[in-house]
Amino acid sequence: MENCLFCKIISGEIPSTKVYEDEKILAFRDIAPQAPTHILVIPKEHIGGVDELTESNSAVVSHIFVKIAEIAKNEGLSNGYRVVSNIGEDGGQTVRHLHFHILGGEKLSEKMS
Ligand code: 5GP
Ligand code: ZN
């Protein structure tokens, strides 16, 4: 997708600090971390957000969640962590490429909104 920031990160046009990569997904550190550990996990296929998931493009989501658990373990988040996906304007989504935030490394706020 032209002009998609995360597609540019996937292509290498924009550099990132990679944490995990395979043929389907990429995980990299958020540029403005909101917790001691803040990682973004994205599919390499451009999907705008959770609201663009369908039966035919959503298999990557289960793969992402299996890898999220592995990444969290590798990052030492043994006491827990949070996975968040913002959707659309009201959800606070700023990049329209499906992504899951992994937040951890401290006791997170109980407030969710
Ligand atoms: P959203 O607000 O859409 O849920 O999350 C987008 C995230 O992307 C934000 O947490 C923001 O800090 C992160 N972000 C924006 N631009 C860049 C960038 O160029 N590199 C990296 N690594 N993260 C970015
Ligand atoms: Zn994209």
Side-chain angles (χ1 to χ4, degrees), residues 65-109:
F65 272 81
V66 169
K67 293 303 167 184
I68 282 174
E70 289 181 15
I71 291 164
K73 201 171 178 185
N74 288 341
E75 292 284 321
L77 304 179
S78 55
N79 209 36
Y81 53 95
R82 184 170 292 160
V83 178
V84 174
S85 190
N86 298 323
I87 300 132
E89 196 175 338
D90 280 4
Q93 185 178 12
T94 59
V95 180
R96 276 298 288 171
H97 182 125
L98 178 65
H99 55 281
F100 296 90
H101 299 255
I102 305 174
L103 296 152
E106 66 183 6
K107 173 87 176 145
L108 300 170
S109 165

Side-chain angles (χ1 to χ4, degrees), residues 49-60:
V50 168
D51 53 342
E52 287 189 8
L53 287 169
T54 65
E55 290 294 343
S56 57
N57 70 10
S58 57
V60 70

